[in-house]
Amino acid sequence: MTIQPAKLSDPAVRAFVNAVNSHDREGFMSLLAPGATMSDDGSDRDLAEWIDREIFSSHGHMDVDNESRGGRDLIARYRNDAWGEMRTKWHFEVEDDGRISRFETGQA
């Protein structure tokens, strides 16, 4: 069963999912701490290049099925024009100021 984005527990993660699903690049970027990093399937990636390719130019969309660790770990069905839909896991590290300093994703 899908969790509606508005019901996600962590405010930063909720805003991240909403920005992805509404294709709001500016809003998405404002959620990230300076120097934020990310990894995909265990390998660190260039953040700007990855989000352009995997989210914004390919119309990424997250349907969250499960959350844990106070809403900072998600299991989601993620789809985009490049890869179709896949079951993914997401892990977020959120700073005290509420911005995301790192996220990790990969197939679940």
Side-chain angles (χ1 to χ4, degrees):
M1 189 168 116
T2 302
I3 301 171
Q4 294 304 313
K7 297 197 182 322
L8 293 171
S9 301
D10 187 273
V13 173
R14 183 184 325 129
F16 181 100
V17 173
N18 281 324
V20 168
N21 289 352
S22 63
H23 310 291
D24 178 5
R25 182 192 296 263
E26 197 172 302
F28 181 96
M29 296 307 292
S30 74
L31 301 171
L32 301 178
T37 60
M38 63 83 54
S39 72
D40 185 0
D41 283 330
S43 298
D44 275 29
R45 307 286 187 190
D46 178 278
L47 178 70
E49 180 184 289
W50 189 91
I51 63 172
D52 182 61
R53 185 179 67 246
E54 299 291 339
I55 298 175
F56 294 107
S57 68
S58 60
H59 307 103
H61 188 89
M62 297 173 76
D63 288 315
V64 178
D65 291 329
N66 187 287
E67 66 172 10
S68 56
R69 225 176 49 89
R72 294 190 177 173
D73 285 348
L74 304 178
I75 298 293
R77 281 168 290 125
Y78 186 79
R79 67 180 180 271
N80 66 24
D81 294 346
W83 304 107
E85 184 172 288
M86 64 190 88
R87 188 171 160 83
T88 56
K89 58 186 176 195
W90 297 76
H91 168 81
F92 296 89
E93 294 174 20
V94 181
E95 298 300 299
D96 292 340
D97 69 0
R99 290 192 292 177
I100 296 166
S101 58
R102 180 171 177 82
F103 66 92
E104 299 170 0
T105 186
Q107 292 200 47

